[in-house]
Amino acid sequence: MHENGIAVLQRQNSPYILLIKEALRILGVSPVYLSSPPKDVSPDPFTPWLMIWDLNAYSVSEKSQTAAELKEMPHGLVILSDRSSVADKEVFSLPGALAWLSRPKGPGELAVAILVASSLYERHTEILARLAQIRLELNTRNLLDRAKRVVMMSEKVSEQYAMTKLKDCSRNLNRRMMATAREISHLGGFAKLCVKCKIASCPYHPNSAQKPE
């Protein structure tokens, strides 16, 4: 189970107050009870990895408003209800909804649903992290390729030499190569970058005594 814990959205007159407490006691989790979704969980030292939303005692309009607030939140969601209605479809279709229980028979059933949701959430988080890494790698590759093409066209050099110039310029400027590649793509070549940075020791600076081989 995650260290950050579980948040519970629940009305005080819900019949499932003791059931949820017992299910979380079985799992060894200390819940934080909320009357409404947190507006911004990121600065708070408690950032729930999973939320249990007990729909009992929520009106149709309250369900709709709460669903809208939960739609953009990055955590998983376990939905608990005494009975479902057509209006609940908006709730069940929330992106974070990982488990739904209608009239649970006991705390053990809810505890199992929480464990299943936890496993799904971990897998979902891993996939998102991998997709973000792949996206970053693709963006990096595309940016480097674009910068190399700019250098090859403006300097009339080979792809290998363009890459060498990118590395040398980044080292000379003491900056990350991606920052150099981004600026070269924007400025259209090394000459404008060197004029902008005004580092005369750069071997590609127009006024430098040191010329590239």
Side-chain angles (χ1 to χ4, degrees):
M1 303 292 289
H2 289 243
E3 294 180 357
N4 283 355
I6 292 178
V8 179
L9 282 174
Q10 188 178 49
R11 293 289 187 255
Q12 292 183 351
N13 55 340
S14 169
Y16 290 148
I17 290 178
L18 293 179
L19 182 140
I20 292 177
K21 285 184 177 180
E22 181 61 19
L24 295 177
R25 187 195 66 78
I26 293 173
L27 297 174
V29 177
S30 298
V32 171
Y33 289 88
L34 305 172
S35 59
S36 62
K39 298 301 181 183
D40 188 0
V41 297
S42 55
D44 195 303
F46 173 79
T47 302
W49 61 271
L50 188 70
M51 294 189 72
I52 298 174
W53 185 10
D54 181 359
L55 298 180
N56 291 288
Y58 275 78
S59 67
V60 173
S61 61
E62 287 174 335
K63 287 178 184 179
S64 180
Q65 179 181 349
T66 304
E69 294 173 355
L70 287 172
K71 189 174 296 184
E72 303 302 324
M73 296 204 170
H75 44 62
L77 185 65
V78 175
I79 300 168
L80 190 63
S81 68
D82 189 38
R83 59 182 179 272
S84 61
S85 66
V86 175
D88 291 343
K89 289 183 178 180
E90 183 180 1
V91 175
F92 303 148
S93 63
L94 284 169
L98 300 175
W100 168 63
L101 280 179
S102 178
R103 298 181 182 178
K105 296 179 177 62
E109 186 178 4
L110 176 57
V112 170
I114 293 171
L115 288 175
V116 171
S118 174
S119 178
L120 291 173
Y121 179 75
E122 288 179 353
R123 181 58 179 160
H124 178 69
T125 302
E126 290 172 1
I127 292 173
L128 288 181
R130 181 56 185 155
L131 287 175
Q133 181 62 32
I134 292 173
R135 190 176 295 112
L136 176 62
E137 292 173 357
L138 288 174
N139 289 340
T140 299
R141 185 179 303 172
N142 290 337
L143 180 57
L144 282 175
D145 287 343
R146 187 162 62 250
K148 281 191 298 183
R149 287 196 298 271
V150 168
V151 174
M152 289 168 65
M153 293 178 64
S154 62
E155 306 286 325
K156 309 300 182 185
V157 295
S158 67
E159 180 179 356
Q160 182 177 356
Y161 188 59
M163 191 65 185
T164 300
K165 292 183 75 171
L166 279 169
K167 292 179 180 178
D168 290 346
C169 186
S170 298
R171 192 180 304 113
N172 187 272
L173 293 172
N174 192 27
R175 69 197 303 186
R176 294 181 181 274
M177 190 164 68
M178 294 308 301
T180 302
R182 188 175 294 107
E183 195 155 5
I184 284 174
S185 298
H186 177 69
L187 295 174
F190 276 104
K192 292 181 180 179
L193 175 64
C194 291
V195 169
K196 181 179 179 181
C197 72
K198 302 184 185 304
I199 297 181
S201 61
C202 176
Y204 306 110
H205 194 286
N207 300 323
S208 174
Q210 181 184 1
K211 298 296 182 181
E213 297 180 359

